[in-house]
Amino acid sequence: MVGHSKEFVKALADHDLTAVRRVPKSDLHNHFVLGGSRDYIFQQTGIKMPLLDKTLHSIHDMHKWREEHIALGRFDSIELRKVLIEAAFYQAKQDGVTLLEIGEDVWANGKFYGGDVSLLVETFYEARDKIAPSIELRLQIGLSRHCPVGALEGWLEPFWGRQEFYSIDLSGDELAQPIENFVSIYRKAKSYGLKLKAHIGEWGTADDVVRAVELLELDEVQHGIAAAGSRAAMDFLVENRLRLNICPTSNVKVGRVHSLENHPVKVLFRHGVDVTINSDDVLVFDSDVSKEYLRLYRHGVLTAEELDAIRLNGLGLA
Ligand SMILES: [Zn+2]
């Protein structure tokens, strides 16, 4: 069966994680440096990544924990960067992800690839072909919200017009600088045909989501869960066919959502908003996509059939 719906619904009803993993899924919100497999990283480097064993209270807490325990500074070479990319494909393969949207932050092009975008692109495709050749890769250009816009514009220069990239995404601290600062970058990205995404409404408000969508002309919002607090914002998202790429466990572990039972994905989905379920940072949140679906089912957030509709939507099969 093309969509595997029967298999997926049964896997959830049976609480069978292995069977959930066998069903095709998308992961459209995945920061690959933190999205890899612990086992793969350990096999390749001997480095053990600990699990987060507490709930954090802010994105700053998360960054602090990450600095202390994941310490990405240890992976500061092209060889180790490749291990992280391969680990992300390994993880996705184990998870049954068949469509994966990941990419580098623009600053990393100079640091790891000598400023050569072709090498950057090749590195991702080589890792994909080596580890998980059947995964469809959507390559993304990443921007960090704390970086000065002038610096981002400089780093972006060699990326413009490269047909290998599917999307552009702004991530990091939502409160670092006003969204208006990014308008000119997003206009240019639109002119090159990139899908426009940004992390909004994780910590910000429903109004922030609407404003960012209008100003940057976004196609998709990473998180965007604050919109659930406003009927007007949800109506706006439905009318404008905006997609929210949601990461439930991440929201709970950073202390943004009090409990999974009350996760806003329920309100958003049942209001008709286009949502997908994703991992965010597997290494921090223990949040692969299969676990996310099963956790939402177990906590009674959505029915198996609703979760299947979300899964098919992510794969473009809805
Ligand atoms: Zn994210």
Side-chain angles (χ1 to χ4, degrees), residues 137-153:
L137 170 61
R138 284 183 178 169
L139 207 48
Q140 180 174 283
I141 299 171
L143 310 172
S144 291
R145 188 141 169 189
H146 66 268
C147 294
V149 168
L152 291 172
E153 283 171 340

Side-chain angles (χ1 to χ4, degrees), residues 29-31 169 171 199 202 222-223 247 280-281:
H29 183 161
N30 174 318
H31 304 275
D169 178 30
S171 65
H199 281 59
E202 178 186 16
Q222 307 297 78
H223 296 298
C247 311
D280 209 2
D281 301 318

Side-chain angles (χ1 to χ4, degrees), residues 192-211:
Y192 282 110
L194 289 163
K195 269 257 192 257
L196 308 183
K197 304 163 68 177
H199 281 59
I200 314 282
E202 178 186 16
W203 297 99
T205 65
D207 285 348
D208 290 338
V209 175
V210 173
R211 254 175 70 71

Side-chain angles (χ1 to χ4, degrees), residues 74-115:
R74 293 182 286 183
F75 294 84
D76 231 358
S77 67
I78 178 64
E79 290 72 27
L80 290 172
R81 197 77 174 172
K82 280 183 187 172
V83 170
L84 293 178
I85 299 169
E86 289 173 8
F89 283 109
Y90 187 89
Q91 168 62 41
K93 188 178 166 187
Q94 306 290 107
D95 193 5
V97 167
T98 53
L99 173 61
L100 179 64
E101 194 159 326
I102 54 172
E104 277 286 11
D105 260 34
V106 286
W107 61 264
N109 184 34
K111 188 172 169 79
F112 295 109
Y113 309 92

